[in-house]
Amino acid sequence: MPKTIRELADELKVSKQTIQYHYQRLPTKNQQKDSQGTNMISPTAERIIRDKVVKPLVANNQQTGSKESNELIANLRREVADLKSQRDKQLATKDRQIDQLTKLIDQQQQLQLATVSKNKELLSNLLETSKSGQSRQQNDKKDNINKSKTNKSWWLFW
C-alpha cells in the first residue's frame, strides 16, 4: 500500500525534507502520483528510501554509541584507578597500624618478663631474708640459752 512522504517521514522519525530529497533521486519508474497529484511512495521505493535513511541513522547511532561507550569506559577506568588508589592507601594505613600494635605487644611482653623476673628476685630475697631471720632467731635462742647457762654458772661462783 503506497504511503505519502509525510507518513514515511513520521514512521522513520526523520524530516519530511529528507524523504523528499531521497524520493526525488529515485528513478522515475519508482516515483508515483495519486489522482490529486500527491507524491506517493510505492513499497519498492519505500524499501530503497528506508535503506538510504536508516543505514546512516544506525551508523550515526553506532558512532554516538561508541563515543558514549568510550566515555563510559574512560569514566569506569578512572573510577577503578581511584578505587585502587584508595585501597592502596587504606592497606598502607592498616600496615602501619599493625606494625604499631606489634611493637606495643612486644613492649608489653618485655615489660611483663621484666616484672616476672623482678618479682622472682624479690621473692628469693624475701625468702633468704626470712631464712636468715629464722636462723638468727635460732642463733639468738642458742645464744640466750648459752648466756643463761653461762650466767648461772657465773652465779655459782659468788
Side-chain angles (χ1 to χ4, degrees), residues 13 15-16 19 22 25 29 32 40 45 47 50 54-55 59 88 96 105 107 128-129 133 143 146 150:
K13 295 181 179 155
S15 68
K16 182 178 149 186
I19 301 299
H22 290 292
R25 303 230 169 350
K29 67 177 182 170
Q32 298 177 350
M40 297 302 290
R47 192 175 51 242
R50 189 180 289 271
V54 171
K55 284 182 182 176
D88 292 344
R96 282 194 302 274
I105 288 171
Q107 289 174 353
E128 286 178 17
T129 306
D143 287 346
N146 287 337
T150 309

Side-chain angles (χ1 to χ4, degrees), residues 18-36:
T18 302
I19 301 299
Q20 184 72 35
Y21 173 82
H22 290 292
Y23 179 79
Q24 289 173 353
R25 303 230 169 350
L26 289 174
T28 53
K29 67 177 182 170
N30 290 331
Q31 295 178 0
Q32 298 177 350
K33 293 191 186 247
D34 66 359
S35 58
Q36 296 172 349

Side-chain angles (χ1 to χ4, degrees), residues 74-138:
N75 284 338
L76 291 173
R77 285 186 176 152
R78 280 192 295 272
E79 285 182 34
V80 167
D82 289 344
L83 291 172
K84 283 181 180 179
S85 173
Q86 289 176 0
R87 180 199 62 198
D88 292 344
K89 287 178 185 176
Q90 288 175 346
L91 287 174
T93 301
K94 295 296 178 195
D95 288 344
R96 282 194 302 274
Q97 290 173 345
I98 288 170
D99 287 342
Q100 288 174 342
L101 290 173
T102 304
K103 286 178 186 177
L104 288 172
I105 288 171
D106 186 45
Q107 289 174 353
Q108 182 184 9
Q109 289 173 343
Q110 289 176 3
L111 284 172
Q112 193 169 6
L113 284 172
T115 303
V116 167
S117 66
K118 195 73 158 175
N119 285 345
K120 283 182 181 178
E121 183 182 324
L122 289 172
L123 186 61
S124 65
N125 286 343
L126 185 62
L127 288 174
E128 286 178 17
T129 306
S130 96
K131 283 182 183 176
S132 66
Q134 286 176 354
S135 50
R136 275 189 205 145
Q137 284 178 352
Q138 288 175 353

